[in-house]
Amino acid sequence: MKRNREFGVTSTAASGADVSTLRELNSISIVRAMRGQPPATVTELATRTGLSRPGTDVVVRGLVTDGWVKVVEPDGSSVGRPARRYRFNADAGHVLGVDVGGHKILVLLADLEGSVVHSHRLPVQPDADPAARLQAVDTAITQCLAAAGMRPDQVWAVTVGVTGPVDATGRTTLFTPLPGWASVSPAEHLAVRFSCPILVENDCKLAAVAERWKGAAQDADDIVYLLAGMRTGAGLILDGTLRRGHGGAAGEIGALKAVRWDSAPSHIENCPGVPDDIHPDDKAAWVFTQARLGDRDAKTALRRYVKDLAVGTAALVLTLDPQVVVLGGGYSRSADLIIDPLAHELGRLCLRVPEIRASSLGADSVALGALRVALDQIDAQLFTDGMPAPLTASS
Amino acid sequence: MKRNREFGVTSTAASGADVSTLRELNSISIVRAMRGQPPATVTELATRTGLSRPGTDVVVRGLVTDGWVKVVEPDGSSVGRPARRYRFNADAGHVLGVDVGGHKILVLLADLEGSVVHSHRLPVQPDADPAARLQAVDTAITQCLAAAGMRPDQVWAVTVGVTGPVDATGRTTLFTPLPGWASVSPAEHLAVRFSCPILVENDCKLAAVAERWKGAAQDADDIVYLLAGMRTGAGLILDGTLRRGHGGAAGEIGALKAVRWDSAPSHIENCPGVPDDIHPDDKAAWVFTQARLGDRDAKTALRRYVKDLAVGTAALVLTLDPQVVVLGGGYSRSADLIIDPLAHELGRLCLRVPEIRASSLGADSVALGALRVALDQIDAQLFTDGMPAPLTASS
C-alpha cells in the first residue's frame, strides 16, 4: 500500500493511462484545486488549474450535477452582482479509521477532506479472545455510524490498525500480542458489512502516517515514529512514503533482543514503590509523576527505560539517518521527561542525532493514520478510474 | 543525490519545465530508445518512441550533426536498398569511477553506455597520509586516462567512493578509518584537473548501486548490501532508490556496539594458528581455506564471525524488511561458507528472513557503482538542461 499525500498522485493522473476522457482529467484537476480550500469562483478555479474559463465552467457544472461540488450562493452583501462560488462536497462520501488496540477500540469517521465527523471509543479486555474483540469492533463501528446518522454503504473506505506486522493477506501471522489474533482477517470480517475497500495496517505505521499528516512531523519527509508505551514499536516514513517492507515487517527492530526494547518498559511497569491498588494502565503515569517529584526509584526506572529505548532507537537512526524522530505512544504524555535524556543517549550511540519531537496526536494517532490511508485509497481509485458520480450523496 | 536508473528520469523529462523545445524532448526520447540497443532504422525508432517517421528523421539527423548519434552504413549484403541504421554514440563522452580504499585505488573509465573502457589499480599503504593517498589517486587517474588515450576534458562526470558517511560538503567528517582523511574534500582536490561534476559517495552505498545495476540484485528494488571484510558496512536501496539519509549517514548500523559489527572481523583476523609470515591481507583467505579443510579453530572463528555479523544484519533486516541481502566485500569470495549459517542465524533473530545472495561484482563493485552514479548525473543534466552538442567528440 503506497501512501499518497492528498493531491499527491500527480504521476498517475498525468500519465492518464486509465482515465478515459479529458473531461475526467480536468474534473480531477478542479477537485484537487477545490479540496481543503474556501469556496472559489469559476475564474479563480480556472486560474488555479490553468484551464480555460469556459472549460472550467462546463466541468464545474458537471461536478455539481454529479454531486462532487456544491454551489455557495452569494450572500448579497457585496456591491454589484457577485460571482457564484463553489466548494468541494466533502460530505459526498466518508471513511472509517479503526484502531484495534489491546485495551480499546477507537473508531473515527471522517469526510472526504479528512475532517473527523464522529469518534467512538470502547474499552476491551486485554485478554479478550478474537471473537470478543471483533464483537467490540462491530459494536464500536455500529455506534459510531449510528451517532453520525450514517449507513455502512455511505462509507467509501475502511482502514483497520492492528498490532504486529501485517502480511499480504491482511493478517498478523508473523507476530501479534493479541491472544489468538494471528489468523484473524479483520478485512474479511468487516466485508460482511462493508462493500467498499477495507485495508489493514500496522498500528505504528499508521501513527507515523498520522504524525506527518496532522501531527508533529508535517514538515518532514524522513521520519522515524516511536511508539513508546507498555509496548515499544516503530513506523518509518522515507521520502514521504510509508515503508512497509517486502513482507510488511519494516520497523520491527524491537524483535531483536540485542536492542533491548522488549525489556525497556519493564523498568517503568515494575518500578518499586508503585501502590498495589493502582490500575496496571495507570502505573506508568504514577512513575512519571513520582520522577517529576524527585523520587529516586522512579528516576532510576526512567533512566533505565530511556537507556534501553535508546539502543533500539539508535539502531533505527544509524540505519536510516532520519530528519526527525517522533516520540508517540502512551509514555509520550511525559515526553518532556524522555526527550532530553534520549537525545543524550543517542549522542553517545549515533554518528548524527536527529531532532526528537513529541507526538502531538496522542492516543488518536493510529485511527487518524487509518483515516489518511483510507482517503489515499479513495484518491488512488478516483485518479486512476476517473470520477463517476458519488454512489451516495449524503447531503 | 537521487539515483536514476538509466532511462529512468521520466518524470523530469515529462514535466518539461526546464526543457526548452519540443525537439529537445524528442531528442531525449530517441536517445533513450537507442542507448544500449543495436543499431536501428528511423522507422524502428519512430515505432519505439511513438513519434512520426518524418519527425523522427529530422531529430535523428540533428543528433548526428550534434555528435550524439552515429550512422551505421548498410553492409550491402541484403537485397534491394537497405535502410540506413543509427546507433547512440556512446563514445561522445566518458565518466570516471574512483574507489579510494584503505589498501588500493581503483579507477574505472566508462563510455556513456556504462561499458568499462579501461581500468587501473594502484596499491596504497593503509597508513598513507591524505597527501600520499591523493597523490595515488592522481597517479591512478593519470595512468588510466593515458592508457585510454584521453584527456581530462573528455570526462563528463567523476564519482569518488570513500569509506565513511559522506556529508553535504563531500567530506567524511563524521567518521573515516583513513588516517587524517576526515577533512579531505576529494571533489575540491580533483576540481583542479576536472571541470565536470565531481561527486563523492560512501563506498558501501556505491557497491549497493552497482549490485542493482550489473550485479546480484538486478531484479530487486529493496536491497541491503553488506560489505563483509576487514571492515563491515552496509548500503541500502529502497524502491530502487539509494538511501543516503538526511545527513548522508544511512546504513551506518555498524557504529552501534550492541550489534557487534566492530568486533566481528576480529574472529577471522585473529584466528589462532595463522602462520606468522602470512600477509595481513591474506589472513582471511587462509582462515576460510582452513575452515573448508575442517580445521577446528578456523571453523570456530567462522562460526563466531557469522554470529556477530548476523546481529547487525538482523537490525537492518528487522528495520527495513528487504527483499534481498547481498553479501559483498572481501570475505564474499567465501560467500558459500557464510550464506547458509548467516541465514540460519537470521532465522533465529528475525521475523522474516530475506533471500541472501553473494555479490557477483567482487572488488570492483565500489568503482562500478561510482560509474553508475556519474552516468546518472549526466542523465539528470541532459534530461533537465536539454541536449546541446557534446562538448568533445572523441570519435
Side-chain angles (χ1 to χ4, degrees):
Chain A
M1 182 184 49
K2 297 275 182 125
R3 174 158 181 270
N4 303 308
R5 290 278 280 190
E6 200 166 30
F7 318 120
V9 286
T10 319
S11 58
T12 308
S15 77
D18 300 312
V19 176
S20 51
T21 70
L22 186 62
R23 199 196 130 190
E24 276 184 349
L25 268 178
N26 291 344
S27 297
I28 289 166
S29 298
I30 288 170
V31 163
R32 281 180 177 168
M34 268 185 185
R35 205 164 41 168
Q37 301 290 326
T41 64
V42 166
T43 305
E44 287 163 352
L45 291 170
T47 306
R48 273 184 221 164
T49 55
L51 303 173
S52 73
R53 200 199 164 287
T56 303
D57 195 50
V58 170
V59 171
V60 167
R61 284 167 197 272
L63 288 168
V64 171
T65 306
D66 286 350
W68 288 106
V69 164
K70 289 278 185 188
V71 180
V72 181
E73 294 296 347
D75 62 5
S77 66
S78 42
V79 180
R81 201 180 60 161
R84 173 177 279 188
R85 288 177 305 149
Y86 299 89
R87 66 170 174 81
F88 177 63
N89 180 17
D91 293 325
H94 288 81
V95 293
L96 275 178
V98 184
D99 176 7
V100 180
H103 301 248
K104 66 141 198 298
I105 310 292
L106 174 62
V107 178
L108 298 182
L109 178 72
D111 67 21
L112 294 183
E113 282 176 340
S115 300
V116 175
V117 174
H118 205 81
S119 74
H120 196 80
R121 189 186 153 106
L122 267 190
V124 64
Q125 290 301 318
D127 59 354
D129 66 16
R133 201 174 299 273
L134 287 171
Q135 178 62 53
V137 168
D138 288 341
T139 305
I141 290 175
T142 301
Q143 293 177 349
C144 185
L145 289 178
M150 295 193 62
R151 301 182 311 272
D153 67 351
Q154 292 173 302
V155 174
W156 289 11
V158 181
T159 304
V160 182
V162 294
T163 300
V166 175
D167 66 20
T169 75
R171 293 174 174 84
T172 46
T173 42
L174 287 175
F175 168 76
T176 172
L178 302 183
W181 192 260
S183 61
V184 170
S185 170
E188 284 179 11
H189 176 78
L190 291 176
V192 176
R193 290 173 79 189
F194 294 96
S195 55
C196 63
I198 304 167
L199 307 168
V200 184
E201 187 50 284
N202 169 265
D203 51 3
C204 297
K205 292 186 177 72
L206 294 176
V209 166
E211 294 292 347
R212 182 161 186 264
W213 181 33
K214 296 197 166 191
Q218 294 178 47
D219 58 331
D221 284 334
D222 292 340
I223 303 159
V224 166
Y225 172 87
L226 293 183
L227 180 93
M230 278 154 58
R231 288 181 309 108
T232 315
L236 313 173
I237 289 177
L238 299 179
D239 275 354
T241 301
L242 176 66
R243 299 308 317 178
R244 302 201 71 256
H246 196 65
E252 297 290 334
I253 186 70
L256 187 66
K257 287 236 179 321
V259 304
R260 288 156 44 181
W261 272 11
D262 57 339
S263 61
S266 66
H267 299 298
I268 301 289
E269 304 295 329
N270 302 328
C271 176
V274 179
D276 289 343
D277 59 345
I278 210 159
H279 190 277
D281 293 358
D282 300 330
K283 272 187 188 174
W286 185 92
V287 174
F288 287 119
T289 302
Q290 292 304 111
R292 248 180 246 286
L293 295 172
D295 178 81
R296 178 176 299 212
D297 285 340
K299 285 169 68 182
T300 302
L302 176 61
R303 194 176 64 248
R304 289 179 177 160
Y305 169 68
V306 171
K307 269 181 124 49
D308 282 359
L309 178 68
V311 182
T313 307
L316 296 171
V317 166
L318 283 165
T319 299
L320 301 169
D321 190 18
Q323 180 182 358
V324 176
V325 171
V326 176
L327 185 76
Y331 293 2
S332 71
R333 281 189 293 272
S334 302
D336 60 310
L337 292 176
I338 298 174
I339 285 180
D340 284 350
L342 180 60
H344 178 78
E345 287 296 314
L346 293 182
R348 290 193 325 112
L349 298 171
C350 297
L351 298 176
R352 203 186 71 78
V353 180
E355 190 186 345
I356 308 175
R357 300 179 189 166
S359 159
S360 58
L361 301 174
D364 288 357
S365 59
V366 176
L368 280 170
L371 288 180
R372 178 67 261 165
V373 166
L375 290 167
D376 288 343
Q377 167 68 24
I378 291 176
D379 276 11
Q381 262 186 308
L382 290 182
F383 296 161
T384 50
D385 299 347
M387 298 185 63
L391 289 175
T392 58
S394 64
S395 60
Chain B
M1 183 182 47
K2 298 275 181 129
R3 174 156 180 272
N4 302 308
R5 290 279 282 189
E6 199 166 31
F7 319 120
V9 287
T10 319
S11 58
T12 309
S15 76
D18 299 311
V19 176
S20 51
T21 69
L22 186 62
R23 202 197 128 189
E24 276 182 351
L25 269 178
N26 291 343
S27 297
I28 289 166
S29 298
I30 289 170
V31 163
R32 281 180 177 168
M34 268 184 186
R35 206 163 40 169
Q37 301 291 328
T41 63
V42 167
T43 304
E44 285 163 353
L45 291 170
T47 305
R48 274 186 222 163
T49 56
L51 303 172
S52 73
R53 202 198 164 288
T56 303
D57 195 50
V58 169
V59 171
V60 167
R61 282 166 197 272
L63 288 167
V64 171
T65 306
D66 287 349
W68 287 106
V69 165
K70 290 278 187 187
V71 180
V72 180
E73 294 297 346
D75 61 7
S77 66
S78 39
V79 179
R81 201 179 63 159
R84 174 175 279 187
R85 287 177 305 149
Y86 299 89
R87 66 170 173 82
F88 177 64
N89 180 16
D91 293 326
H94 287 81
V95 293
L96 275 178
V98 184
D99 175 7
V100 181
H103 299 248
K104 66 140 199 296
I105 310 294
L106 175 61
V107 178
L108 297 183
L109 178 73
D111 67 20
L112 295 183
E113 283 177 340
S115 299
V116 174
V117 173
H118 204 83
S119 75
H120 196 80
R121 187 187 155 105
L122 266 190
V124 64
Q125 291 300 317
D127 58 354
D129 65 16
R133 200 174 301 273
L134 288 170
Q135 178 63 54
V137 169
D138 288 341
T139 305
I141 289 176
T142 300
Q143 293 177 347
C144 185
L145 289 178
M150 295 192 62
R151 302 182 311 272
D153 66 351
Q154 293 173 301
V155 174
W156 289 13
V158 180
T159 303
V160 182
V162 295
T163 300
V166 175
D167 66 18
T169 75
R171 292 175 175 82
T172 46
T173 44
L174 286 174
F175 168 76
T176 172
L178 302 182
W181 192 261
S183 60
V184 171
S185 169
E188 284 179 12
H189 176 78
L190 291 177
V192 176
R193 290 171 79 187
F194 294 96
S195 55
C196 64
I198 304 167
L199 307 168
V200 184
E201 188 51 282
N202 169 263
D203 51 3
C204 297
K205 293 186 176 72
L206 293 176
V209 167
E211 293 293 347
R212 183 161 186 264
W213 181 32
K214 296 195 166 193
Q218 295 178 47
D219 59 331
D221 284 333
D222 293 340
I223 303 159
V224 167
Y225 171 87
L226 293 183
L227 179 92
M230 278 154 58
R231 290 181 308 107
T232 315
L236 314 173
I237 289 176
L238 299 179
D239 275 354
T241 302
L242 176 66
R243 298 309 317 179
R244 301 201 71 257
H246 196 65
E252 297 291 334
I253 186 71
L256 187 66
K257 288 238 180 321
V259 304
R260 288 156 44 181
W261 274 10
D262 57 341
S263 62
S266 66
H267 298 298
I268 301 289
E269 304 296 330
N270 302 328
C271 176
V274 179
D276 288 342
D277 59 346
I278 211 159
H279 190 278
D281 293 359
D282 301 329
K283 272 186 187 173
W286 185 91
V287 175
F288 286 119
T289 302
Q290 292 304 112
R292 245 181 249 287
L293 296 172
D295 178 82
R296 177 177 299 213
D297 285 339
K299 285 169 68 181
T300 302
L302 176 62
R303 192 177 65 247
R304 289 180 176 160
Y305 168 70
V306 170
K307 269 181 123 50
D308 282 0
L309 178 68
V311 182
T313 307
L316 296 171
V317 166
L318 284 165
T319 299
L320 301 169
D321 190 17
Q323 180 181 358
V324 175
V325 171
V326 176
L327 184 77
Y331 293 2
S332 71
R333 281 189 292 272
S334 303
D336 60 311
L337 293 176
I338 298 173
I339 285 180
D340 284 350
L342 179 60
H344 178 78
E345 287 296 314
L346 293 182
R348 290 196 322 115
L349 299 170
C350 296
L351 297 177
R352 203 186 69 79
V353 180
E355 189 185 348
I356 308 176
R357 299 179 189 167
S359 159
S360 59
L361 302 173
D364 288 356
S365 60
V366 177
L368 280 170
L371 288 180
R372 179 66 261 166
V373 165
L375 290 167
D376 289 342
Q377 167 69 23
I378 291 177
D379 277 9
Q381 262 186 308
L382 291 182
F383 296 161
T384 51
D385 300 346
M387 298 185 63
L391 290 173
T392 58
S394 64
S395 59

